[in-house]
Amino acid sequence: MLRPLARWFMAIGLAAASCLVAVVGNGHARATTASIASSSTTWQHVAIGGGGYVTGMVAHPAQKDLIYTRTDVGGAYRWNPDDGSWTPITDGIKADDRDLYRIESLAVAPTEPGTVYLAGGSGSATESAIMKSTDRGATWTVNRIGIPIDGNPGGESDDPARSSGERLAVDPGTAGIVYYGSRKDGLWHSTNAGTTWSKDTRFPVTGTPGRGVTFVLFARTNEPAGTPTRTLYASVYGSGIYRSTDAGATWALLKGSPTEPNRAALASNGDLYVTHKSGVAKYSNGTWSDATPPTAAQYNAISVDPANPSHVITIAANRTNNNPIYQSTNAAGSWTKVSYTRKNTVPWWPDSYWSASPASVTFDPFHAGRVWYTDWYGTWRTDDITASQSTWTNYEKGHEETVAVSNIASPPSGQALLHSGVADNGGFDHTSLTGFPAASYRARGLQGTTTGLDFSEAHPNFLVRVGRDGNSGPTSQSGYSTDGGNTYTPFPSQPEAAGRVAVSAASDRIVWAAQGAGNGQVRYSTDRGSSWKASAGAPSGLIPTDTNWNSCHPLASDRVDGNKFYIYKAGRFYRSTDGGATFADTGATGLPNVGCDDSFGAFKVAAAPGINGEVWISFGTNGLYRSTDSGKTFTKAAGVSNARVFGFGKGPGTGSPNPAAPPSLYVHGVVNGVDGIFRSDDLSGSWTKINTTEAIGCRLKDMTGDRQVSGRVYIATDGCGIYYGRPATAAPPGPIHSAPASHK
């Protein structure tokens, strides 16, 4: 049973456990006995405003305003009508179960308003599961049924594999019967409300691998209460629509049904509408007919008004912006293109985010005229689809599904509290934690997606981003800002795409480790990217993969000495003392030999602010290592057996009158056998556990402490956006900034 979760998470207590922690000085360790305390910490998302694919929506047919959405990589959400927000219901799933955030299907039990099912996974049978909650997503039971489930399978541009219909379905007559249509292993079912599952051998086919059974529907008519529904439909990609009229005992292919079905909607009079690769089909009184709107395209989203079986809505799915929305008031006898206006509540969303890749459309069963649709970047709603010009509003509060692809960084001064780089949407310079950003950096002079960023420690308004167009490829989109991210200038010379970057602590000097597409050289520039020179002695190919998804951070600058830069590769550590012009192996021994060729491989080099030569490396399950002599020697921090992500922030004593006080060190991992999120204010001499629930969902990508507010910490994820934690006694995060730092 997974632990309870809520929109806000509170860790309270003073319980402690003993551990041995290595405190390193001058490259040597001394063992001390320390305690792990607990502190009261509040967690929530950094407000961004959507940005990820909402692949489906289910409205409970018997409970007003009980609406759920699923996403391809960011878990599932429940609608909160009180404030028009979405509550994440999967954040209690542990980081090590990160594949379960890729939601393939969602279902509710019509006779049990508290019951909801999710199918989650990323294509591995051992990491997939069907999850069940009986308290609307507060807690979950995870059932690994031993077959692959994939909420983010990708596909061709005309193949909405992620947003096909709901493969999960609960019998509206008896909540004990649940069906699941798999991608590769045919139809599965449970007769004991999801406690156990088995392959339904009565079903004759499995379908095209990767698509399989795309939806299951119950068509209940006049069966006695509490008895199984007699009529069921199940679509099989590559074959067509199958029907059972004896509660699943036998199945038959409906002749003439579309062979490449996506989604379906069932009208109250029994008519069945199916979207498919070439349009829309209708099954009525035993006959199939073409019901495609005037725009010829693949269709996906479709819904029928529960109060009017003749009122149908569907949306084209050709994955370009502004896909047309059609409605019919005569059971698809004719179609009218919906005329609309938009009320965009997210300032940085461009017009192209409207109807970009529609996934689902849903009539609200309790609000006449209200229609929702889900899309590539979020969720839209109109409260009167019957108006001559309907008004659509995007509801993104709480839906924080962005995918971090770069490191995150918090500057010690300036208007920005945090800098981020995310897939599909570029990235942000966050001046508020509770309000949506005014613009992405793409709108401020630099296109593409950030894969690495850094700022000058002495001049934090000098900020560098490196990246590329799209999620792979050689087209570089990299540049710099001199005003903390308000405006950007592309580098005059862009030798390679993407990778990681480090900026000198004292100047504009830049070191760039390119990845993938080229030879992955390390280069440096002394003129803000007008020219680049190869760094002699630096290892090449630090990040061999050509995709944006890698979590390795092999390059860092010293945060005090402007001439020092650091590189880790395959168990060896390199240092430059001349601003990146040359690198040399320091001869450090004992470091784990960890590669960076896995799509989600994770290690990170980071230098501690305020301490010359203080450099650390995290190696996941290989632990956390520290050097106090600029990488000449390293010592493993005792007690830290897993450092998934880590970072530094402002320490409690940092600043006037003691600027030399150590920074706070944060780790998401395992310390002395305890799994959690930890803070150390004495560089691992002692630890404070700052969470009691999991609190942080999805795959972890990076972590950093706030450099302006002591005790505040950020964690970036692969699909659940960016979280921040703050002491529960601290003031709520408003526009709290240090005085802006001017560039030299």
Side-chain angles (χ1 to χ4, degrees):
M1 191 70 130
L2 295 177
R3 289 169 288 191
L5 54 102
R7 186 67 183 91
W8 293 75
F9 297 86
M10 188 73 71
I12 301 175
L14 295 174
S18 296
C19 67
L20 285 178
V21 181
V23 179
V24 186
N26 299 320
H28 301 288
R30 59 182 177 87
T32 62
T33 299
S35 63
I36 299 178
S38 294
S39 72
S40 179
T41 303
T42 301
W43 295 90
Q44 72 173 119
H45 281 98
V46 174
I48 293 176
Y53 200 8
V54 184
T55 51
M57 172 182 284
V58 174
H60 198 282
Q63 184 69 46
K64 183 179 180 181
D65 292 328
L66 183 55
I67 299 172
Y68 298 94
T69 59
R70 61 175 166 99
T71 70
D72 59 346
V73 295
Y77 297 80
R78 185 183 66 245
W79 175 244
N80 182 2
D82 294 337
D83 64 354
S85 68
W86 295 100
T87 297
I89 59 174
T90 43
D91 280 4
I93 298 173
K94 289 186 175 182
D96 289 344
D97 289 328
R98 53 189 176 264
D99 288 349
L100 298 184
Y101 285 89
R102 302 183 173 210
I103 308 299
E104 183 184 72
S105 187
L106 185 156
V108 298
T111 58
E112 296 178 356
T115 298
V116 56
Y117 290 86
L118 299 174
S122 58
S124 165
T126 57
E127 302 298 330
S128 300
I130 293 179
M131 299 168 278
K132 178 185 177 182
S133 173
T134 58
D135 50 17
R136 304 186 184 192
T139 59
W140 295 93
T141 299
V142 175
N143 193 338
R144 300 191 183 276
I145 65 175
I147 62 173
I149 298 171
D150 197 345
N152 186 31
E156 300 300 324
S157 60
D158 64 345
D159 180 7
R162 276 174 279 189
S163 57
S164 296
E166 298 306 335
R167 303 166 185 270
L168 281 167
V170 183
D171 194 323
T174 169
I177 297 176
V178 191
Y179 278 84
Y180 167 66
S182 73
R183 294 183 180 274
K184 298 180 180 180
D185 295 277
L187 187 64
W188 286 62
H189 75 299
S190 172
T191 58
N192 53 14
T195 301
T196 59
W197 292 82
S198 61
K199 185 173 182 177
D200 194 333
T201 57
R202 304 168 299 179
F203 196 72
V205 291
T206 58
T208 302
R211 293 298 295 272
V213 181
T214 59
F215 64 78
V216 179
L217 278 176
F218 288 91
R220 193 166 184 82
T221 52
N222 57 356
E223 296 91 335
T227 62
T229 300
R230 289 191 296 266
T231 302
L232 296 83
Y233 295 97
S235 71
V236 180
Y237 203 85
S239 298
I241 311 300
Y242 288 77
R243 183 179 65 178
S244 174
T245 57
D246 52 14
T250 60
W251 294 83
L253 177 65
L254 293 177
K255 186 178 180 180
S257 60
T259 58
E260 295 173 307
N262 294 324
R263 283 183 171 269
L266 190 66
S268 59
N269 64 357
D271 289 350
L272 178 69
Y273 297 87
V274 178
T275 57
H276 55 90
K277 197 168 186 177
S278 302
V280 180
K282 177 183 177 182
Y283 185 68
S284 180
N285 297 319
T287 301
W288 286 98
S289 61
D290 181 29
T292 304
T295 299
Q298 175 167 223
Y299 283 80
N300 190 22
I302 192 162
S303 185
V304 183
D305 190 339
N308 181 1
S310 296
H311 194 184
V312 189
I313 290 185
T314 189
I315 313 177
N318 53 2
R319 291 185 67 172
T320 60
N321 65 300
N322 202 25
N323 288 290
I325 304 171
Y326 286 99
Q327 68 174 325
S328 172
T329 57
N330 59 3
S334 62
W335 296 92
T336 301
K337 186 181 291 187
V338 172
S339 179
Y340 60 83
T341 59
R342 287 171 289 170
K343 182 181 178 182
N344 180 12
T345 63
V346 184
W348 61 268
W349 275 27
D351 288 342
S352 60
Y353 281 20
W354 164 259
S355 196
S357 185
S360 66
V361 62
T362 305
F363 276 98
D364 194 305
F366 291 92
H367 299 273
R370 178 176 291 182
V371 175
W372 302 79
Y373 90 82
T374 69
D375 204 353
W376 193 261
Y377 300 101
T379 302
W380 294 82
R381 189 184 86 188
T382 180
D383 286 335
D384 189 3
I385 192 62
T386 65
S388 58
Q389 189 173 63
S390 54
T391 300
W392 294 79
T393 303
N394 53 348
Y395 289 89
E396 296 308 311
K397 184 179 179 181
H399 169 227
E400 300 294 351
E401 199 201 340
T402 48
V403 176
V405 293
S406 80
N407 58 308
I408 54 175
S410 177
S413 63
Q415 291 188 342
L417 299 172
L418 184 72
H419 303 294
S420 66
V422 300
D424 301 320
N425 307 289
F428 305 93
D429 302 295
H430 305 266
T431 59
S432 171
L433 303 182
T434 57
F436 297 152
S440 74
Y441 76 83
R442 287 179 173 178
R444 290 175 168 169
L446 193 64
Q447 298 299 311
T449 293
T450 296
T451 61
L453 58 89
D454 195 17
F455 56 83
S456 173
E457 189 72 22
H459 313 289
N461 279 346
F462 183 72
L463 171 69
V464 172
R465 291 178 179 267
V466 298
R468 55 152 63 97
D469 277 340
N471 294 323
S472 62
T475 305
S476 178
Q477 295 286 354
S478 306
Y480 66 92
S481 173
T482 59
D483 53 18
N486 288 323
T487 59
Y488 283 92
T489 301
F491 291 142
S493 173
Q494 308 226 15
E496 289 189 71
R500 305 289 186 255
V501 69
V503 179
S504 166
S507 70
D508 295 355
R509 203 173 184 102
I510 306 165
V511 176
W512 182 359
Q515 74 180 82
N519 60 12
Q521 277 195 327
V522 177
R523 296 178 173 88
Y524 73 99
S525 175
T526 61
D527 52 15
R528 298 183 178 180
S530 293
S531 62
W532 298 89
K533 297 179 181 179
S535 298
S540 61
L542 296 182
I543 309 174
T545 179
D546 189 37
T547 68
N548 291 345
W549 316 121
N550 197 280
S551 300
C552 302
H553 299 284
L555 170 68
S557 61
D558 192 274
R559 307 315 288 182
V560 175
D561 188 332
N563 289 317
K564 288 182 185 176
F565 291 83
Y566 305 110
I567 290 174
Y568 166 89
K569 184 180 181 183
R572 301 174 68 180
F573 196 77
Y574 302 81
R575 179 181 63 216
S576 172
T577 58
D578 55 9
T582 62
F583 280 84
D585 190 333
T586 66
T589 59
L591 290 175
N593 187 346
V594 175
C596 193
D597 52 358
D598 178 77
S599 293
F600 289 96
F603 63 80
K604 175 184 176 180
V605 179
I611 308 176
N612 192 342
E614 181 84 26
V615 58
W616 294 60
I617 315 177
S618 61
F619 292 104
T621 55
N622 289 296
L624 182 65
Y625 286 72
R626 178 190 184 190
S627 173
T628 61
D629 53 14
S630 304
K632 184 178 180 180
T633 60
F634 282 88
T635 303
K636 185 177 182 180
V640 182
S641 57
N642 189 349
R644 300 183 184 98
V645 287
F646 87 107
F648 296 99
K650 181 178 181 180
T654 305
S656 180
N658 186 16
S664 290
L665 168 66
Y666 296 91
V667 173
H668 190 309
V670 180
V671 176
N672 194 37
V674 179
D675 197 329
I677 307 171
F678 300 88
R679 185 188 75 244
S680 175
D681 295 328
D682 53 10
L683 295 176
S684 80
S686 60
W687 295 94
T688 298
K689 190 171 183 291
I690 56 175
N691 74 308
T692 55
T693 61
E694 183 65 17
I696 305 302
C698 290
R699 192 185 304 266
L700 307 178
K701 297 301 289 287
D702 193 27
M703 184 178 198
T704 187
D706 193 297
R707 294 289 306 282
Q708 301 182 34
V709 178
S710 178
R712 196 156 70 193
V713 60
Y714 306 96
I715 299 179
T717 71
D718 173 53
C720 293
I722 303 171
Y723 296 80
Y724 70 94
R726 62 182 177 89
T729 56
I736 304 170
H737 308 292
S738 300
S742 60
H743 192 245
K744 65 176 183 179

